Amino acid sequence: MHLVEKFSLDAALKIGTPFIHEAYYPLVAEKYITFNICGDHSSRKWDFFQECVSILSPYLDKENIKIIQLGAKGDPMINGTYNLVGSTSPTQCSYILKRSLLHFG
């Protein structure tokens, strides 16, 4: 039994359907992908994000798909993207991610 299930049984509470809060954010494009390179985890420290974006951009441009960079203040900026680093709240990021064609990071 999961800890949350145990807690709900002990407290006589019913577990509802999980959901993620969203807050509207004006989007720069109708079709886009997102990525995020923030974090202190070593798995996020990859030196080739700029090269990856440079390789993907010509293919995405043909399909009119934009690239949006999310993240925290102080994250390195990647050229060729719409930079939203440090300008969105977690609920705004949820709104953006839900409408994204793909997320990598």
Side-chain angles (χ1 to χ4, degrees), residues 5-103:
E5 293 171 322
K6 174 84 170 104
F7 177 76
S8 69
L9 285 174
D10 292 345
L13 299 172
K14 182 178 179 183
I15 298 174
T17 304
F19 63 94
I20 297 174
H21 291 279
E22 296 178 10
Y24 172 79
Y25 191 88
L27 299 171
V28 298
E30 192 172 309
K31 295 185 339 184
Y32 61 91
I33 64 172
T34 57
F35 75 101
N36 184 342
I37 58 174
C38 76
D40 294 330
H41 301 287
S42 61
S43 63
R44 292 194 178 209
K45 299 206 184 313
W46 189 51
D47 296 329
F48 303 104
F49 277 107
Q50 184 64 65
E51 288 82 355
C52 180
V53 167
S54 297
I55 291 168
L56 287 174
S57 289
Y59 299 101
L60 296 173
D61 287 344
K62 288 180 185 177
E63 300 297 324
N64 199 27
I65 299 172
K66 307 299 180 201
I67 304 172
I68 297 175
Q69 181 179 356
L70 301 170
K73 287 182 181 178
D75 286 348
M77 311 256 187
I78 303 298
N79 295 327
T81 67
Y82 286 95
N83 190 331
L84 298 181
V85 171
S87 65
T88 57
S89 69
T91 55
Q92 290 170 326
C93 281
S94 297
Y95 181 88
I96 295 166
L97 288 170
K98 182 176 181 178
R99 288 149 183 83
S100 176
L101 299 172
L102 170 79
H103 178 77

